Amino acid sequence: MKKITIIGTGYVGLVSGSGISDFGHNVICADKDEEKIKKLQDGTIPIYEPGLKEILQRNRDAGRLSFTKNVEDAIYRSDVVFIAVGTPQSANGEADISAVENVAKTIGKNLNDYKVICTKSTVPIGAGDHICELIRRNMSDNGEFDYVSNPEFLREGSAVKDFLWPDRLIIGTKSEKAFSIMKEIYHPLYINDTPMMHTSVVTAEMIKYASNAFLALKISYINEIANLCEAVGGDVHEVAKAMGQDGRISSKFLHPGPGYGGSCFPKDASALTAVADANGQEIRTIKAAISANEAQKRRMVDKLLKLMNGSLCGKTIAVLGLSFKPNTNDIRESPAIEMIQAILNEMGTVRAFDPVSNESMQTIYPDINYYTSWEEAVYKADCAVIMTEWNEFRSMDLGVLKNQLIAPVLLDTRNVLNMNELQKLGFTFDNVGRLKPSDS
Ligand code: NAD
């Protein structure tokens, strides 16, 4: 059993800490955000993530998982320190690693004996050397460490499952000792035959960016195919289904929509192009994916304007779904933000609803109206816009929707509703890349 500290208790840190304690290790989750730590100590989970409450509680009750704001003491008491703080996008498109740098300095100052320092945060390719240098510069003579890059691939909304049953583990380190300690930490996965790749630090960092940027590219590609379907009269669902049956392509990430969002794809795709440019190796495909994504978000606004005969002035629009994907309360880079902003810019009024993200969106738009059910949000609205594919929207009673709206007008940016039924009820509607019953 290892003594482990995870620094940063966000979506990655909290899930990783709970998961690693579930593997049988003793984990301290440390964060500088006192309010967050207080909540966790009181048993309140600050994020919405299915299954997290159960695994966290189970390991807390077993005495394997604790929370502290005393980052220094947690480092001092650990064999292995994971860095899981945020690396948001900076103004120039590069990753802002100032939080990682601060943590590296703190680790250096509190390195009292040999420890493995492992970065889970997504950091730019080549950042490992810089992190090691910061630790070294700040440590005393007693300090000794090996460095590991262990990028995380969990997806919000299914993060617990993804952490406990990952497709693969990437362990980037030049130290055999650190590699064997990492194997010990992930022992339950290792014995379950989860592929574990031992790479260099730079290769591990590259794998993370290359994977996320590729998925962003795949989404932008299917979105552009959807747009072309609209122009030529094809149905993107049938196209995507057929493409997905080709084992070389796979059906995952072939769902057209309003453009990707979230805390990873936008910033990681952008950071990869920044690293590529800095190394004189422009990645044109990813630049195109980023620009296609921006255009896709704008295209949804154009679709709404078209449905509303060119003007939103004085109109009330119900925005259903605020998070960037279902099963999370994360609204970072959510396409719903661009939609809300456009409605407000056009002098419209927003009635918003999300099953778990109203509170998150209030941090950006405190003055729009939020409701606790979609039925309330659409009441006397001129149009409803579905922005997130929550299951409860898939099963919404379209008769009720029609009765609540002033007129039956709908934009389904996630293609979750049955077009035949919408047509039967007399809806004026649009979605993404679908052949409408009236067109066929
Ligand atoms: P987050 O913003 O949810 O959480 C980051 C946490 O770090 C916050 O609680 C913050 O208070 C804490 N923190 C910042 N500076 C600190 C410091 N000096 N000392 C202690 N705590 C500090 O971030 P996240 O979404 O969990 O992402 C973390 C990293 O993991 C990022 O690099 C991200 O790119 C990567 N990642 C995220 C996901 C995801 O789905 N969210 C998936 C894979 C990888």
Side-chain angles (χ1 to χ4, degrees):
M1 187 188 71
K2 289 284 171 204
K3 285 183 277 170
I4 290 165
T5 281
I6 315 261
I7 306 179
T9 58
Y11 290 86
V12 166
L14 207 47
V15 172
S16 305
S18 305
I20 292 174
S21 61
D22 214 48
F23 296 158
H25 304 288
N26 225 317
V27 177
I28 308 172
C29 285
D31 203 291
K32 65 170 191 179
D33 183 335
E34 291 189 21
E35 203 184 319
K36 208 179 239 189
I37 291 298
K38 175 91 182 49
K39 274 188 185 167
L40 285 162
Q41 286 170 339
D42 291 346
T44 307
I45 301 187
I47 57 171
Y48 177 82
E49 188 58 52
L52 181 58
K53 195 173 180 188
E54 292 76 8
I55 187 175
L56 192 146
Q57 199 55 52
R58 179 166 74 239
N59 288 288
R60 218 181 153 190
D61 291 348
R64 285 190 295 263
L65 182 62
S66 60
F67 304 97
T68 183
K69 61 179 187 315
N70 192 339
V71 180
E72 292 79 4
D73 179 60
I75 296 167
Y76 201 80
R77 290 197 279 135
S78 297
D79 308 314
V80 181
V81 180
F82 281 87
I83 303 174
V85 296
T87 50
Q89 189 173 325
S90 59
N92 64 3
E94 291 173 8
D96 172 357
I97 61 161
S98 53
V100 173
E101 290 174 328
N102 287 337
V103 169
K105 288 179 201 159
T106 309
I107 291 172
K109 286 180 194 151
N110 293 280
L111 212 58
N112 50 331
D113 52 14
Y114 174 83
K115 297 184 198 298
V116 171
I117 311 302
C118 174
T119 299
K120 250 198 188 307
S121 299
T122 305
V123 292
I125 300 140
D129 281 347
H130 175 57
I131 295 169
C132 289
E133 181 51 31
L134 284 175
I135 297 172
R136 237 176 260 123
R137 245 192 266 157
N138 285 280
M139 73 188 194
S140 67
D141 291 345
N142 299 336
E144 197 191 335
F145 73 97
D146 279 317
Y147 183 77
V148 175
S149 167
N150 172 217
E152 183 51 57
F153 297 93
L154 61 76
R155 295 161 300 173
E156 287 174 26
S158 54
V160 173
K161 182 175 149 286
D162 289 349
F163 190 86
L164 297 179
W165 292 279
D167 289 336
R168 77 305 206 184
L169 285 165
I170 306 299
I171 312 290
T173 183
K174 58 181 183 210
S175 156
E176 283 303 328
K177 181 174 174 186
F179 181 65
S180 81
I181 290 172
M182 294 304 290
K183 254 171 48 181
E184 203 182 322
I185 291 172
Y186 287 116
H187 185 66
L189 301 181
Y190 187 66
I191 54 170
N192 270 349
D193 285 337
T194 302
M196 184 180 281
M197 270 181 82
H198 184 179
T199 69
S200 72
V201 168
V202 166
T203 301
E205 292 165 346
M206 187 73 212
I207 289 168
K208 175 63 189 173
Y209 276 107
S211 303
N212 269 8
F214 181 75
L215 295 173
L217 178 66
K218 209 171 168 190
I219 295 171
S220 276
Y221 179 73
I222 200 63
N223 281 340
E224 292 208 302
I225 293 296
N227 300 344
L228 185 55
C229 279
E230 287 176 4
V232 299
D235 189 294
V236 72
H237 274 207
E238 289 174 21
V239 174
K241 190 172 172 193
M243 283 174 66
Q245 280 157 354
D246 186 328
R248 294 169 302 176
I249 297 174
S250 119
S251 58
K252 302 221 174 108
F253 285 80
L254 279 184
H255 307 287
Y260 59 77
S263 66
C264 293
F265 290 175
K267 82 171 170 66
D268 293 350
S270 167
L272 182 64
T273 64
V275 171
D277 285 346
N279 284 278
Q281 295 293 332
E282 186 183 15
I283 298 198
R284 290 177 287 270
T285 46
I286 301 305
K287 284 188 176 168
I290 294 169
S291 124
N293 196 54
E294 281 158 9
Q296 192 69 6
K297 289 185 182 179
R298 277 196 305 275
R299 190 177 171 97
M300 298 304 115
V301 175
D302 291 343
K303 278 176 179 281
L304 174 62
L305 276 165
K306 198 165 166 208
L307 282 170
M308 300 305 294
N309 300 317
S311 171
L312 301 179
C313 186
K315 301 287 184 196
T316 300
I317 311 297
V319 176
L320 307 181
L322 304 174
S323 51
F324 78 97
K325 65 188 289 198
N327 295 320
T328 179
N329 64 339
D330 195 346
I331 53 144
R332 288 178 281 187
E333 301 290 324
S334 171
I337 296 173
E338 183 142 345
M339 181 58 77
I340 291 171
Q341 190 56 53
I343 297 167
L344 298 177
N345 291 348
E346 296 283 329
M347 311 301 284
T349 301
V350 174
R351 293 172 70 89
F353 164 70
D354 187 283
V356 299
S357 307
N358 285 354
E359 213 179 300
S360 312
M361 197 56 97
Q362 266 160 358
T363 60
I364 303 181
Y365 294 109
D367 297 327
I368 62 174
N369 298 311
Y370 294 89
Y371 298 89
T372 52
S373 72
W374 67 260
E375 289 91 338
E376 285 175 86
V378 299
Y379 181 66
K380 288 206 186 316
D382 293 284
C383 176
V385 181
I386 296 179
M387 293 303 300
T388 317
E389 66 274 38
W390 284 96
N391 271 341
E392 69 174 275
F393 301 151
R394 291 180 197 279
S395 58
M396 63 172 35
D397 184 327
L398 297 182
V400 172
L401 177 63
K402 181 179 173 177
N403 289 339
Q404 294 284 88
L405 289 164
I406 288 178
V409 184
L410 175 97
L411 174 59
D412 177 7
T413 72
R414 298 288 183 173
N415 294 351
V416 293
L417 295 179
N418 183 307
M419 291 189 291
N420 286 319
E421 218 183 311
L422 286 169
Q423 194 163 53
K424 227 185 283 163
L425 286 165
F427 271 87
T428 301
F429 67 93
D430 198 3
N431 45 27
V432 183
R434 308 271 351 242
L435 189 60
K436 316 283 181 302
S438 54
D439 302 333
S440 49

